[in-house]
Amino acid sequence: MPASSSTSLKSVETLLKLVILPSESEKPMDAVKAQLNNMLFSYNEDLDGVPMVYYDIKLPPGKEYGRILNDSPWLHIDILVKLLLFQPTRGLIATGQINKLTDSHISLLVHGVFNVTISETELQSRNYSYNESTNSWDSDQFSFSEGDYMEFRTLSCQQSYGVFFLDGSPIQKCEKPL
């Protein structure tokens, strides 16, 4: 049975080192949550993935207080947090919904957020041809139109300026994932 897009999601607990302003020392957890919110849905090289959700924020044992280092007024604080990361890998079989279809490519969304592009070259190498009258990519087995769900194989994972995107290859038309 092929892997599903859920295998691209991974729950991890990680130690993060944050810096907060002295003015935020009255409510440090608000400052921590604001920094965690800024991390969501952007690729993080240290985590090798895209944080989608954070939960269970704790201060590590023995590090319950922030520290002022040298002559810097910033408060340095360590936190333990659980994150749900989107971490697809090359070869992963996943499902996405087609949100754009043209004669040059098919664009899908995985988890309603992450963009996957399937190029014209990749489609043609799999014996699909573009049908201008129906605005679909057709083969002997399947026809893909906007709104359809497609199972695809991840060919590459790329990021640029925090934006994460995938290139894929079509496998088959499928039903909406659970």
Side-chain angles (χ1 to χ4, degrees), residues 129-175:
S129 59
Y130 180 69
N131 184 330
E132 192 172 344
S133 64
T134 60
N135 190 33
S136 62
W137 279 92
D138 304 330
S139 75
D140 291 339
Q141 294 181 312
F142 303 107
S143 178
F144 293 117
S145 301
E146 284 187 23
D148 289 345
Y149 287 87
M150 176 195 292
E151 191 175 63
F152 66 93
R153 182 177 313 281
T154 304
L155 297 178
S156 69
C157 306
Q158 303 170 50
Q159 67 90 18
S160 178
Y161 301 103
V163 178
F164 193 73
F165 52 96
L166 308 170
D167 290 314
S169 176
I171 295 176
Q172 65 183 355
K173 195 172 189 173
C174 61
E175 297 299 316

Side-chain angles (χ1 to χ4, degrees), residues 23-41:
S23 61
E24 298 170 324
S25 63
E26 291 276 328
K27 295 185 177 180
M29 202 51 80
D30 289 350
V32 166
K33 288 178 181 176
Q35 287 190 39
L36 290 170
N37 287 340
N38 286 334
M39 290 175 61
L40 297 178
F41 299 104

Side-chain angles (χ1 to χ4, degrees), residues 13 15 32 35 63 75 99 118 150:
E13 184 174 54
L15 176 71
V32 166
Q35 287 190 39
K63 295 188 176 188
L75 294 171
N99 66 328
I118 300 177
M150 176 195 292

Side-chain angles (χ1 to χ4, degrees), residues 2-58:
S4 70
S5 59
S6 63
T7 59
S8 62
L9 297 176
K10 183 177 180 183
S11 182
V12 298
E13 184 174 54
T14 189
L15 176 71
L16 296 178
K17 296 180 178 295
L18 305 177
V19 179
I20 61 174
L21 293 167
S23 61
E24 298 170 324
S25 63
E26 291 276 328
K27 295 185 177 180
M29 202 51 80
D30 289 350
V32 166
K33 288 178 181 176
Q35 287 190 39
L36 290 170
N37 287 340
N38 286 334
M39 290 175 61
L40 297 178
F41 299 104
S42 292
Y43 180 79
N44 185 299
E45 198 167 312
D46 293 332
L47 298 169
D48 191 29
V50 180
M52 295 180 65
V53 175
Y54 65 85
Y55 58 101
D56 199 18
I57 303 167
K58 297 184 278 190

